[in-house]
Each structure stands twice: as C-alpha cells, then as structure tokens.
C-alpha cells in the first residue's frame, strides 16, 4: 500500500525564511539544516573558493565580552554535545546542527547564534593560510580538466581548474564577510528541522530565534551558459603507474531536464546499470560497474 504522508509543518517567517518542521517524538536525535541557495557558481570573478571558505570558517564570537549571565548560559550550552557542520557546493551552502533530542532547543540555538552573530576569526584565517603553505595543491587527474572541457565546453564554469592554494590564501577576511552579507541571507533560505521534539514548542523556538534575524534580498543568480560539448566522440587516456586497477568512464552531456525528467533519468540509469551487470557477470569479473547522472545547476552528464 501507499506510504503514509509525512506530517510536515511548512511556514514562512516575516524575514523570508521558509521553515519545514518534522517532529518524530520517539526519535532520540535532532537535526537542523539551514540551506542558502548560493554556492560556488555564484562566486565573484577572482574569488574562487570564497563560498567554501566562508562556510568553513564562520565561527561563534568567543572573544566578545558578554554579560556574566549570558557567559554562564553559553558555557553551559557548549557542553551539550552539539555537532556543527558547514558545506558549500555548486548551488547551495548548508549549515547544520545536530545532537541528542533532549537538548533540541539548544542545538537550534547554537545554529541561530552562529548565523546571527558568527564571525571570521583572524587567527582561524591565518591558520588556514599556514596549512595551505605547508601542503601541496590537491592532486587532480591530468585528464580531468580536459574531460570536463569536452563535456561542457572550454569556457564553461564546470570546466575551470580548481582554485589552487595560492588563490585560496589570497582571500581576505573582508571578502568572506562580504560574501556572507551579500549572499547568505535568510530571505529565500530554508530551515529544515527534524527529530524528537514537541512540534508546537519547536515552532515557537524557530520564530523566537530566527524571526528576529534581519534579512536582505539577494539578487537572482546570473544565468549559467548552456553546455557546448565537443563535436563527435573522443577519448582521453591517463597513465597512472601506481594504480592497481584500470577505470573506464563513458560520459555523455545530458540533454534532458534534471527536474522535469528526474523519473526518466532514474529509470534510464537503472536500465544501463542492469546491462552493465549482465556484461560483468558474463565476463566473470568482480569489478564494480555503475551508471548515473552527475547533476549540476546548468547541465548534467550521464
């Protein structure tokens, strides 16, 4: 039979933040995710890497002088085991807090405190630059960039080299603050709260904590260019002397719409994977074979 519909509260605050609440009272866990519709494709020219750094380096303002009563509350809340994380991909930046459901209101408070009063510490930025100086640039397959250029076109945003350590080290605190101020606004963002809590009480916590945070309108995302794949089939080979196995990729630039044709893509991916399984088992090979879509903001590959 059909699965029961989830009882999700869906409402919007006056500052434009959309909130989705899913209460599962028997759950011992709690999680809140704040999703901003901004990612690496929105980075200003010459600041590649600023989205990921702005997410990773945002931290609580521990150096601020708080009244004694607030300091006691902060010190108590910091001992409740809240796990905070942040990540930025091509399209979105996500900040999360999670922990035991018995302290759900305080896990949500930690997230609100971070978003409302978080800062970029000069010490943290200096430590990151020191780590960058002491490390090598991330190793990239010699053919990886050429592979993307043939799928999307040489000047497409998806076919650009990753920012190296020198480019990342050149990002300043003011640029991080400008990115956060101009791009990470609650107007248009979505807060997803789930786990073991009382729905009515959590609804009020959300309003109290996030409703008072100001928001600014964010300009619409600039249109991304359509993929321009190279004409005709081509191949690229990369020799890796230390590799124990051989990997083979066959990729196509997808012409279907990732949202409208989502179901058809899932079916096609399963059909191809099934045919790959037949080939693999017919050869008696134990190596893995898979198919699927790499879906991005502008253009996908199969």
């Amino acid at each position: 039979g059909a699965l029961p519909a989830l009882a999700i509260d869906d409402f919007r605050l006056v500052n434009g933040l959309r909130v989705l609440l899913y209460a599962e009272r028997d759950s011992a866990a709690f999680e809140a995710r704040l999703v901003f519709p901004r990612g690496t494709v929105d980075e200003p020219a010459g600041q590649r890497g600023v989205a990921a750094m702005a997410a990773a380096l945002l931290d609580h303002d521990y150096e601020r002088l708080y009244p004694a009563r607030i300091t006691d509350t902060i010190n108590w809340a910091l001992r409740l085991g809240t796990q905070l994380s942040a990540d930025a991909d091509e399209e979105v930046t996500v900040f999360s807090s999670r922990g035991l459901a018995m302290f759900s209101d305080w896990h949500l408070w930690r997230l609100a405190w971070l978003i409302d009063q978080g800062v970029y510490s000069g010490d943290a930025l200096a430590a990151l630059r020191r780590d960058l100086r002491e490390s090598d640039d991330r190793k990239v397959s010699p053919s990886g960039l050429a592979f993307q250029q043939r799928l999307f076109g040489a000047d497409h945003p998806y076919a650009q080299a990753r920012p190296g350590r020198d480019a990342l080290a050149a990002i300043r605190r003011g640029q991080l603050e400008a990115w956060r101020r101009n791009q990470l606004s609650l107007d248009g963002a979505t807060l997803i709260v789930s786990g073991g809590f009382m729905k009515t009480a959590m609804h009020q916590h959300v309003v109290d904590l996030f409703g008072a945070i100001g928001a600014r309108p964010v300009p619409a995302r600039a249109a991304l260019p359509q993929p321009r794949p190279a004409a005709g089939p081509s191949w690229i080979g990369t020799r890796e002397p230390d590799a124990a196995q051989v990997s083979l990729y066959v990729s196509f630039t997808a012409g279907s719409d990732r949202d409208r044709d989502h179901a058809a893509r899932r079916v096609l991916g399963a059909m191809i994977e099934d045919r790959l399984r037949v080939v693999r088992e017919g050869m008696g090979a134990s190596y893995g074979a898979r198919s699927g879509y790499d879906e991005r903001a502008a253009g996908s590959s199969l």
Side-chain angles (χ1 to χ4, degrees):
L3 293 175
L6 297 178
I8 298 176
D9 279 8
D10 186 344
F11 59 97
R12 194 175 298 272
L13 302 183
V14 293
N15 55 17
L17 176 66
R18 182 186 181 189
V19 181
L20 302 176
L21 286 184
Y22 173 61
E24 190 175 355
R25 293 184 57 182
D26 294 333
S27 174
F30 169 87
E31 181 174 12
R33 292 189 180 189
L34 185 55
V35 183
F36 295 96
R38 281 297 184 269
T40 60
V41 296
D42 305 296
E43 292 174 332
Q47 294 186 34
R48 298 200 60 221
V50 69
M53 287 180 61
L57 293 182
L58 184 64
D59 200 1
H60 298 308
D61 189 357
Y62 297 112
E63 298 180 2
R64 180 179 171 185
L65 294 177
Y66 297 97
R69 177 179 56 82
I70 296 179
T71 299
D72 292 341
T73 301
I74 291 173
N75 289 334
W76 178 81
L78 292 178
R79 296 195 295 266
L80 300 181
T82 304
Q83 297 179 1
L84 295 173
S85 62
D87 181 61
D89 65 15
E90 290 171 335
E91 296 185 73
V92 300
T93 299
V94 181
F95 293 90
S96 301
S97 67
R98 59 181 62 87
L100 290 175
M102 62 187 301
F103 300 121
S104 58
D105 50 348
W106 288 102
H107 303 317
L108 188 68
W109 174 83
R110 282 285 299 275
L111 181 61
W113 185 37
L114 177 68
I115 298 302
D116 186 29
Q117 301 184 34
V119 296
Y120 294 106
S121 164
D123 291 341
L125 189 56
L128 176 63
R129 292 190 181 123
R130 182 174 61 250
D131 292 342
L132 288 170
R133 287 194 302 268
E134 296 173 354
S135 65
D136 295 327
D137 279 327
R138 184 186 304 176
K139 292 184 178 179
V140 178
S141 169
S143 61
L145 182 59
F147 188 74
Q148 295 298 105
Q149 290 176 341
R150 294 189 189 183
L151 280 174
F152 295 103
D155 58 348
H156 197 278
Y158 299 159
Q160 306 305 309
R162 293 173 179 172
R165 59 178 179 177
D166 291 339
L168 294 175
I171 294 177
R172 302 299 182 219
R173 182 160 58 171
Q175 293 171 325
L176 298 176
E177 293 169 346
W179 170 265
R180 176 189 174 199
R181 180 178 62 254
N182 298 329
Q183 303 292 342
L184 303 184
S185 172
L186 292 187
D187 188 3
T190 301
L191 176 66
I192 306 170
V193 184
S194 62
F197 53 80
M198 300 292 290
K199 185 180 296 185
T200 302
M202 184 56 62
H203 187 290
Q204 190 60 50
H205 285 313
V206 169
V207 173
D208 292 343
L209 291 172
F210 288 89
I213 301 177
R216 302 158 305 282
V218 176
R221 172 175 289 154
L224 295 173
Q226 291 297 314
R228 295 202 310 271
S234 60
W235 70 276
I236 300 173
T238 302
R239 184 183 297 277
E240 298 181 359
D242 298 331
Q245 295 183 347
V246 172
S247 298
L248 172 67
Y249 303 90
V250 180
S251 296
F252 305 86
T253 304
S256 56
D257 184 271
R258 67 170 187 176
D259 297 320
R260 183 190 65 234
D261 301 318
H262 177 72
R265 288 185 172 200
R266 295 287 297 271
V267 172
L268 179 59
M271 292 171 63
I272 296 175
E273 191 149 331
D274 185 63
R275 295 306 300 168
L276 288 171
R277 178 187 58 79
V278 172
V279 173
R280 179 178 63 82
E281 293 178 355
M283 296 173 60
S286 60
Y287 302 112
R290 68 173 186 86
S291 72
Y293 282 84
D294 179 18
E295 298 180 333
R296 302 186 176 194
S300 306
S301 58
L302 168 64

